[in-house]
Amino acid sequence: MTVLTGKANAKTNNLSASTGSETENKKIVYNTKDLNLWYGEDHALKNINLPIHENEVTAIIGPSGCGKSTYIKTLNRMVEMIPIVRISGEILYRERNIFDKNFQVEDLRTRVGMVFQKPNPFPKSIYENVAYGPKIHGIRDKKILDEIVEKSLKGAAIWNEVKDRLNENAYGLSGGQQQRLCIARALAIEPDVILMDEPTSALDPISTLKVEELVQELKKDFSIIIVTHNMQQAARISDKTAFFLSGEVIEFAETDKIFSTPSDKRTEDYITGRFG
Amino acid sequence: MQKSTRQDQHSRPAVSDLIAQKKKNRTVGSTLEKLVPGILFGIAAVSIITTVGILLTLITETVLFFQEVNFFSFFTGTELKPLGQNAVFGVLPLLTGTLISTAIAMLVAIPIGLMTAIYLSEYASEKARRILKPILEILAGIPTIVYGFFAFTFVTPLLRSFIPGLEPTNILSPGLVMGIMIIPMVASLSEDAMSAVPNSMREGALALGSTKLEVTWKVVVPAAISGIIASFVLGISRAIGETMIVTIASGSSKNFTFDITQSMQTMTAYIVEVSGGEAAAGTTLYHSLYAVAMTLFVFTLVMNFIAQYISRRFREEY
Amino acid sequence: MKHVNVEQVQKKMGSRLFANTFAKTLFLLATLFGLVVLVVLIYRVIQDGAAWINFDFLTNKLSTDPERAGIMGAILGTLWLMAVVAPVTMVLGVGTAIYLEEYAKKGRIQSIIQTNISNLAGVPSVVFGLLGLTVFARGMELGNVVLAGGLTMALLVLPVVVVSSQEAIRAVPQFLREASFGMGATKWQTVKNVVLPASLPGILTGTILALSRAIGETAPLVVLGIPALLIPLPDSIFDKFTILPVQIYYWTLDSALVAEYTNLAAATILILLIVLFVMNSVAILIRNKFQKRY
């Protein structure tokens, strides 16, 4: 794989200023420019511009159908699994346009892990689930795999619960455990970014709390983009928040600012529970 | 990039670097990736090639046949004497044999199959269904040769005990047995169609005080009628193409008759008789095999198209 | 004034309920008819054949003498035939199913292949026999050997394997594919490592059912010209052979000449039914053991 990150390029970082968010020293991982997306005739994403910085948690909130899930699935091009999708504009990942013809979508997804709405472990053993990523990318050395599996499960704070039954089927785990296993599976290829699409929507409150703590922990090593319909969750765990409405970014700013002094009336209406 | 910090804590290189390394020498994998769709398409094309093969085989030899035998006299001829010096090829005896055996079979399969479907779909308890459906599946899974044996060694002698004029080989017995063989097919396809009728339609009629029979007959069956008729047509197609039962139990008489107590030959049985006799390639007899098979093929194909058309054209939108 | 005369309705209700009960009984009898036939059929076969099954019957070669005749040749022939049919039909069937479900774009080509497969399923088996006779036995000059019979049979049951494999592949939830693609897996890696393992039980069940269909088929091989004569036991796919149903066929045909042939045919039927029963049980076991867990 070509080195996607390269040397820090100070010039491109200035682009973040355009959104009004505070300019920092942190590098931009994902920069979305004039992104439009249609499902057939349906204009699902409209002129999205969004810079996302590394080692931060960026939350994407908004009512159902606002395009937040579509957006996060566009970031690793999973959205293209739906055949009627059309896209214009660009998304730069580490300064390269992911829609570029020469850009291998598999490379992108190797660097960008994803955790889905519903826990979706493979019907294989716990060990095999975590080892899946490294294996398909050619790592076969049993010792290295063992190490990766242990480290990833520890990273996802589930090691203690499963270390004695690594060879059991993943579907024997509880929903919350399954979701943390899925996070471990994503960690196993040591991604640069982790995309989380409403990762706690199918979980009970205690499991939700565990995943949230985990996200805080993971922030140190990864850039995390999390879609959530739960505003408290966004407020609790994210550094920046983007508010989506009808396919548009209404407001994007520091989470504190969004939840205390939103600049747009619609944001205020949403976070105060007046709609959505 | 931030991974480098973590790398220091470990003796091994970071996974991301390992992956990047492996990627470089993974040309084999990516070549395979490019080849797979083509290979799979090639495999999928085998079914098309099979159809083309069947058509080509049938057509080429049939054309040769009609260079030797008049097309018109073949389809209107009531006399079939394929062997000997003065061979005569009229297909009508085979057509009547096929159609009569099919008619007898459907007289058994349609009413019993439909009633079975109604019972399973509308009346049977969950427990009864769990017992009865596997029995139907077993019936459907019995090889036709076994049904042939059954027709020849049991049904025919049984029928002869109260139909004195019945010949040892006749079209009636295999027709009946063929009907039994087709019951599961009609029953399960019709039941599928009836089960697809939403319960709200039944409840609406029941709430008005209808009996179950009235609901079945006036609501469920009409709503599922296209699926039911499609199952009949597929049953007919199956009966036309059925081979071993008639070959064994109906003999090889090529008489043009409508008397069901007599031996008759079907198109399929003719094909078995002539090909099994190792007809020398290139003879008119050998070519007649293909002309008959072509006729059979067209018949079943038309039936299948009709069934597909009915179920597609009249697909209920609930 | 009321339009519904309650008295009238109640009077009629009696006969309507009677009709319902009568019909219910009739429908039940119709359903039980199949069961009765099955019982009679199996009873007859056991009555005629059970006493004839013994070690010699299973291990002896064919013979015109009913007392010495055995079905070793037919058993071996059936096994050899399956040795061709199973791999060929599985590769073709599963490959076609993967292509249609995972690779083909929705459109003309996909729908042509799909329609073609459902039409092939309706082609009479005897026509497949002619195809085999013309293309494999005569065209490729293989003769009426195991390979020609196996290829013919594989094409005959191909639609069964394709359709059941398609169903199995379609039943694999989309979220498993997403999980795999999300890890950066390629399409083939996803198919090979996720889709196929998850759909394997369904594919196996379908394949076993297809094989049990092939084991019972007679017409295509009779058309192919499998001899009624005594032949040496087959040793390879290039040998002439006979199979259980064909043996049943010839014995049944000749039962008018030699009465004991009825018993031999019945005994062979019993063996065939036992084989089919075992195969179907295995298929059901696989299906139940690997019920979806997601």
Side-chain angles (χ1 to χ4, degrees):
Chain A
M1 192 176 115
T2 45
V3 181
L4 292 166
T5 63
K7 305 98 204 169
N9 188 336
K11 276 178 209 156
T12 48
N13 274 358
N14 293 336
L15 287 166
S16 62
S18 60
T19 62
S21 81
E22 149 198 352
T23 343
E24 327 166 25
N25 296 327
K26 280 175 180 165
K27 278 181 264 173
I28 292 183
V29 239
Y30 260 121
N31 205 352
T32 304
K33 293 179 177 173
D34 299 324
L35 178 74
N36 281 280
L37 183 144
W38 294 264
Y39 290 117
E41 291 303 301
D42 184 14
H43 197 170
L45 293 177
K46 299 166 193 160
N47 297 317
I48 309 282
N49 285 286
L50 212 58
I52 288 165
H53 292 85
E54 68 180 17
N55 293 54
E56 282 186 351
V57 178
T58 306
I60 297 174
I61 60 168
S64 303
C66 66
K68 57 188 193 297
S69 259
T70 301
Y71 176 66
I72 200 170
K73 283 188 174 152
T74 311
L75 292 178
N76 68 348
R77 292 179 55 185
M78 290 291 277
V79 76
E80 289 167 21
M81 286 176 74
I82 304 158
I84 54 168
V85 158
R86 272 184 308 128
I87 297 170
S88 78
E90 51 184 30
I91 295 178
L92 301 179
Y93 167 71
R94 299 277 179 195
E95 290 147 39
R96 285 185 60 202
N97 184 6
I98 64 169
F99 300 120
D100 199 88
K101 251 186 263 152
N102 300 323
F103 200 109
Q104 279 273 318
V105 68
E106 286 84 14
D107 286 348
L108 175 68
R109 291 173 186 163
T110 309
R111 307 292 301 124
V112 179
M114 186 164 208
V115 178
F116 297 79
Q117 211 162 341
K118 216 182 128 219
N120 58 354
F122 299 120
K124 300 170 188 267
S125 71
I126 293 168
Y127 182 96
E128 285 300 324
N129 262 282
V130 183
Y132 182 83
K135 273 189 176 173
I136 57 166
H137 294 299
I139 299 175
R140 306 231 178 274
D141 187 331
K142 177 85 172 108
K143 255 177 65 190
I144 296 185
L145 283 175
D146 286 349
E147 223 176 288
I148 294 173
V149 168
E150 180 174 343
K151 180 163 173 265
S152 309
L153 287 169
K154 279 179 177 162
I158 190 180
W159 171 252
N160 288 332
E161 293 157 69
V162 299
K163 64 179 176 206
D164 299 324
R165 45 173 175 152
L166 290 177
N167 292 319
E168 284 174 32
N169 194 293
Y171 279 82
L173 298 173
S174 74
Q177 289 174 322
Q178 285 183 19
Q179 193 63 303
R180 277 178 288 142
L181 174 66
C182 291
I183 295 174
R185 183 176 64 187
L187 297 184
I189 47 173
E190 290 185 0
D192 183 21
V193 185
I194 301 177
L195 307 175
M196 296 184 161
D197 185 7
E198 301 196 29
T200 60
S201 65
L203 303 185
D204 61 89
I206 293 171
S207 305
T208 301
L209 201 66
K210 280 193 179 156
V211 171
E212 285 183 12
E213 283 169 2
L214 181 56
V215 170
Q216 292 294 347
E217 196 57 38
L218 293 174
K219 191 175 106 177
K220 293 172 197 153
D221 293 323
F222 306 94
S223 316
I224 295 172
I225 302 168
I226 181 168
V227 164
T228 175
H229 61 257
N230 181 334
M231 279 174 286
Q232 283 76 23
Q233 184 169 67
R236 276 195 299 267
I237 63 175
S238 68
D239 302 303
K240 294 220 179 79
T241 297
F243 172 57
F244 274 55
L245 187 66
S246 312
E248 287 177 273
V249 181
I250 302 299
E251 194 166 349
F252 175 54
E254 303 291 310
T255 300
D256 292 344
K257 181 176 177 295
I258 288 259
F259 283 94
S260 55
T261 51
S263 50
D264 195 291
K265 178 81 170 64
R266 289 166 292 181
T267 316
E268 192 182 341
D269 285 350
Y270 180 69
I271 59 174
T272 52
R274 248 164 264 170
F275 70 89
Chain B
M1 116 190 230
Q2 76 265 38
K3 292 295 142 355
S4 52
T5 50
R6 269 186 291 150
Q7 192 184 322
D8 303 335
Q9 303 158 7
H10 288 271
S11 49
R12 64 171 170 82
V15 175
S16 43
D17 294 343
L18 269 178
I19 292 173
Q21 252 174 40
K22 297 278 178 189
K23 195 111 206 170
K24 277 181 207 144
N25 22 10
R26 244 187 41 194
T27 46
V28 183
S30 61
T31 318
L32 185 67
E33 194 68 35
K34 280 185 201 119
L35 286 178
V36 164
I39 294 171
L40 289 175
F41 176 74
I43 289 175
V46 170
S47 65
I48 303 274
I49 296 168
T50 306
T51 306
V52 173
I54 289 175
L55 284 173
L56 275 185
T57 307
L58 294 183
I59 291 171
T60 30
E61 306 279 340
T62 303
V63 166
L64 291 176
F65 176 76
F66 284 121
Q67 283 167 2
E68 294 148 15
V69 175
N70 181 283
F71 182 84
F72 192 70
S73 70
F74 177 69
F75 282 107
T76 56
T78 57
E79 202 180 359
L80 180 60
K81 281 184 189 153
L83 297 170
Q85 286 291 307
N86 305 311
V88 187
F89 292 94
V91 82
L92 283 185
L94 300 181
L95 275 183
T96 50
T98 299
L99 294 180
I100 289 172
S101 60
T102 301
I104 297 171
M106 295 324 285
L107 281 177
V108 174
I110 286 179
I112 298 184
L114 183 57
M115 285 196 281
T116 304
I118 292 174
Y119 185 76
L120 289 175
S121 157
E122 305 299 316
Y123 287 91
S125 65
E126 196 46 44
K127 203 174 150 196
R129 284 165 53 89
R130 269 213 302 275
I131 300 168
L132 291 170
K133 287 200 80 167
I135 291 174
L136 282 181
E137 279 173 32
I138 296 175
L139 266 184
I142 289 182
T144 60
I145 184 74
V146 178
Y147 281 112
F149 173 86
F150 185 63
F152 189 59
T153 66
F154 177 71
V155 177
T156 299
L158 184 72
L159 290 173
R160 269 158 70 89
S161 65
F162 47 89
I163 308 176
L166 198 66
E167 294 189 12
T169 54
N170 59 77
I171 200 76
L172 177 62
S173 164
L176 293 177
V177 173
M178 219 151 73
I180 293 169
M181 179 194 80
I182 294 168
I183 289 172
M185 183 180 183
V186 172
S188 85
L189 290 176
S190 297
E191 197 219 332
D192 288 347
M194 288 194 273
S195 303
V197 176
N199 260 332
S200 56
M201 287 175 77
R202 292 186 183 85
E203 282 158 5
L206 283 171
L208 291 171
S210 310
T211 64
K212 219 161 199 186
L213 177 64
E214 288 159 353
V215 173
T216 303
W217 205 245
K218 291 176 184 157
V219 178
V220 180
V221 171
I225 194 71
S226 69
I228 293 173
I229 291 182
S231 83
F232 297 167
V233 178
L234 286 177
I236 293 174
S237 168
R238 178 86 194 274
I240 291 175
E242 172 44 39
T243 310
M244 295 322 291
I245 303 177
V246 278
T247 305
I248 289 181
S250 183
S252 54
S253 154
K254 292 161 186 62
N255 293 333
F256 180 64
T257 170
F258 293 94
D259 181 355
I260 56 171
T261 64
Q262 303 260 318
S263 159
M264 293 183 203
Q265 193 166 44
T266 62
M267 292 188 278
T268 50
Y270 178 81
I271 296 170
V272 167
E273 188 199 356
V274 173
S275 61
E278 305 219 339
T283 60
T284 310
L285 176 65
Y286 182 74
H287 293 152
S288 75
L289 207 57
Y290 294 86
V292 172
M294 186 78 199
T295 315
L296 173 70
F297 180 77
V298 170
F299 261 77
T300 52
L301 196 67
V302 167
M303 286 297 157
N304 291 338
F305 276 143
I306 292 176
Q308 279 168 21
Y309 176 78
I310 293 173
S311 46
R312 206 173 298 159
R313 173 75 176 70
F314 301 102
R315 176 167 293 155
E316 289 82 8
E317 304 286 349
Y318 300 119
Chain C
M1 195 195 127
K2 284 183 181 170
H3 293 284
V4 180
N5 185 333
V6 176
E7 225 170 86
Q8 200 80 44
V9 170
Q10 275 172 351
K11 223 187 267 173
K12 268 196 173 167
M13 200 47 137
S15 62
R16 283 168 62 196
L17 285 175
F18 173 76
N20 184 46
T21 316
F22 178 78
K24 183 181 175 180
T25 318
L26 187 68
F27 297 154
L28 175 62
L29 288 177
T31 311
L32 292 179
F33 177 74
L35 176 64
V36 172
V37 171
L38 187 63
V39 169
V40 172
L41 188 152
I42 290 177
Y43 173 76
R44 281 289 308 193
V45 174
I46 291 177
Q47 197 186 28
D48 283 344
W52 287 70
I53 297 179
N54 54 39
F55 185 73
D56 286 344
F57 176 70
L58 293 177
T59 53
N60 279 4
K61 293 207 226 170
L62 283 178
S63 166
T64 45
D65 176 5
E67 295 297 334
R68 284 177 38 216
I71 54 170
M72 194 62 202
I75 291 174
L76 282 179
T78 297
L79 289 177
W80 273 111
L81 187 72
M82 289 306 117
V84 175
V85 178
V88 172
T89 197
M90 194 137 170
V91 168
L92 292 181
V94 178
T96 305
I98 296 174
Y99 178 77
L100 288 174
E101 291 302 315
E102 302 286 334
Y103 281 88
K105 292 200 181 67
K106 282 233 174 300
R108 282 270 301 271
I109 292 179
Q110 190 216 24
S111 90
I112 288 174
I113 296 177
Q114 195 74 64
T115 314
N116 178 58
I117 284 165
S118 57
N119 283 330
L120 266 189
V123 173
S125 61
V126 70
V127 174
F128 277 94
L130 269 188
L131 175 76
L133 175 71
T134 317
V135 176
F136 301 131
R138 298 200 174 174
M140 295 183 184
E141 296 183 347
L142 291 172
N144 44 9
V145 298
V146 174
L147 184 60
L151 292 176
T152 308
M153 221 50 129
L155 293 181
L156 173 68
V157 298
L158 181 59
V160 182
V161 181
V162 173
V163 171
S164 58
S165 303
Q166 275 187 287
E167 277 168 14
I169 290 172
R170 226 176 285 148
V172 175
Q174 192 63 14
F175 62 70
L176 292 183
R177 292 185 187 85
E178 284 177 357
S180 177
F181 285 127
M183 308 284 299
T186 59
K187 187 144 212 169
W188 177 238
Q189 283 175 327
T190 302
V191 168
K192 192 179 65 170
N193 297 318
V194 177
V195 177
L196 280 183
S199 55
L200 194 62
I203 290 173
L204 280 182
T205 308
T207 307
I208 294 175
L209 293 181
L211 289 187
S212 67
R213 160 106 196 267
I215 282 186
E217 268 293 344
T218 321
L221 294 190
V222 175
V223 170
L224 209 59
I226 287 193
L229 307 168
L230 311 178
I231 47 167
L233 299 181
D235 281 326
S236 82
I237 56 172
F238 297 106
D239 283 349
K240 289 182 188 264
F241 70 117
T242 186
I243 54 168
L244 293 169
V246 170
Q247 202 48 53
I248 296 168
Y249 169 60
Y250 287 126
W251 270 330
T252 309
L253 273 190
D254 291 343
S255 63
L257 309 173
V258 183
E260 287 89 346
Y261 281 172
T262 312
N263 303 99
L264 291 174
T268 314
I269 287 175
L270 271 180
I271 300 295
L272 179 63
L273 290 182
I274 290 169
V275 170
L276 291 180
F277 180 77
V278 170
M279 289 179 75
N280 281 285
S281 305
V282 170
I284 291 169
L285 267 178
I286 292 177
R287 193 166 58 187
N288 292 347
K289 183 154 182 342
F290 295 95
Q291 287 284 0
K292 312 180 190 68
R293 282 163 306 212
Y294 1 92

